Amino acid sequence: MAEELRGLAGDRALLGRTSTAERVSDILRSRIAEGYFPPGTRLSEDGIGGALGVSRNTLREAFRLLTHERLLVHELNRGVFVRVLTVEDVEDIYRTRRLVECAVVRGLGEPPYGLDALAEAVEEGRRAAREGDWKGVGTANIHFHRELVALAASERTDELMRSVFAELRLAFHVVDEPRRLHEPYIARNVAILQALRAGDREEAERLLAAYLDVSLERVVEVYRRRVGEDGQGG
């Protein structure tokens, strides 16, 4: 936890002069999405509040917001924990992703599209793979899909999917073979990017839908095995 708190201290500047619960929740959500706080982690009010330089009341309100987003859970007399997802949660996450991401691609309009950020996410994944950083490949994969959603230029859609992608990271933490899960998606991301560069929305959507189906199958396979072994249910 000490390393995570040091990282949070570096985020203090992001609060600026308006140290609000919303800003704190944005920071913690991003940290969860980046994999800093694994499922089941107890979040210390004193430690996180001290790292960010915010009051206990502000932090509790941020915790409340993230609990509402299903990223945290409050356990009576024990504290606040990063949520452990169920198989049903994972399936619902992927249903949401399919509905939103495929709709974004379908509604892009006429090319060309602004794909620089999407291309950078692909390169981020390739760099991480070369370094054998499979957690980093997973993070780059989330960045790719976040930038894909951003092509819709919709603040509401971005806000919705921020929480969904943070929950997705919680699912990835349960996977015991991250290379097996994440490595194939580098090539799939490249194929989607190439289809969009060619202005072929239908092909990009087809590739994306197939991608999400395969990813769901693999993650659920691991989840069913791990839930059975560890007795995790919610």
Side-chain angles (χ1 to χ4, degrees):
M1 191 69 176
E3 181 178 349
E4 288 83 354
L5 293 178
R6 284 195 294 273
L8 277 180
D11 287 333
R12 185 183 295 193
L14 298 177
L15 296 173
R17 296 181 179 179
T18 56
S19 178
T20 65
E22 288 81 6
R23 290 285 186 89
V24 173
S25 66
D26 284 346
I27 289 170
L28 294 178
R29 186 189 306 105
S30 295
R31 287 293 179 170
I32 290 170
E34 298 294 332
Y36 283 88
F37 298 117
T41 301
R42 182 181 180 276
L43 299 184
S44 163
E45 285 188 3
D46 291 339
I48 292 175
L52 290 175
V54 298
S55 71
R56 188 179 296 266
N57 286 340
T58 295
L59 187 59
R60 286 178 176 173
E61 175 63 13
F63 284 170
R64 188 192 67 78
L65 293 171
L66 294 176
T67 299
H68 180 70
E69 294 180 16
R70 298 175 300 278
L71 295 176
L72 304 181
V73 60
H74 181 266
E75 297 186 11
L76 190 62
N77 299 323
R78 294 193 64 217
V80 175
F81 294 80
V82 179
R83 191 159 171 258
V84 178
L85 303 184
T86 64
V87 170
E88 291 75 18
D89 291 324
V90 175
E91 291 172 337
D92 194 35
I93 287 168
Y94 274 87
R95 275 194 296 270
T96 303
R97 292 186 66 193
R98 213 178 196 281
L99 285 169
V100 174
E101 293 186 49
C102 289
V104 166
V105 172
R106 194 180 315 125
L108 280 178
E110 294 302 315
Y113 312 120
L115 302 175
D116 289 349
L118 211 60
E120 174 52 36
V122 167
E123 289 306 313
E124 178 187 351
R126 284 170 163 166
R127 287 194 299 268
R130 286 195 296 269
E131 296 167 3
D133 178 9
W134 302 110
K135 176 182 172 182
V137 173
T139 298
N141 184 41
I142 290 176
H143 289 169
F144 178 88
H145 288 272
R146 186 180 66 196
E147 296 300 339
L148 185 71
V149 169
L151 293 175
S154 165
E155 291 184 5
R156 291 172 179 81
T157 306
D158 289 344
E159 183 177 352
L160 166 68
M161 295 305 290
R162 271 198 297 271
S163 295
V164 172
F165 289 138
E167 283 191 273
L168 183 63
R169 169 60 77 179
L170 298 184
F172 286 170
H173 270 293
V174 176
V175 177
D176 50 359
E177 297 178 338
R179 178 173 184 171
R180 179 173 175 266
L181 175 67
H182 298 307
E183 188 173 30
Y185 302 137
I186 298 174
R188 288 179 177 269
N189 288 346
V190 170
I192 293 168
L193 176 62
Q194 289 174 340
L196 290 173
R197 279 177 168 161
D200 191 342
R201 287 177 296 161
E202 289 186 5
E203 176 65 3
E205 184 182 355
R206 186 191 68 78
L207 291 168
L208 177 60
Y211 171 118
L212 292 172
D213 287 345
V214 169
S215 181
L216 171 60
E217 182 180 346
R218 289 185 176 182
V219 174
V220 167
E221 174 193 356
V222 173
Y223 240 81
R224 291 195 189 282
R225 172 161 45 84
R226 294 295 298 273
V227 168
E229 291 175 357
D230 301 338
Q232 297 171 345

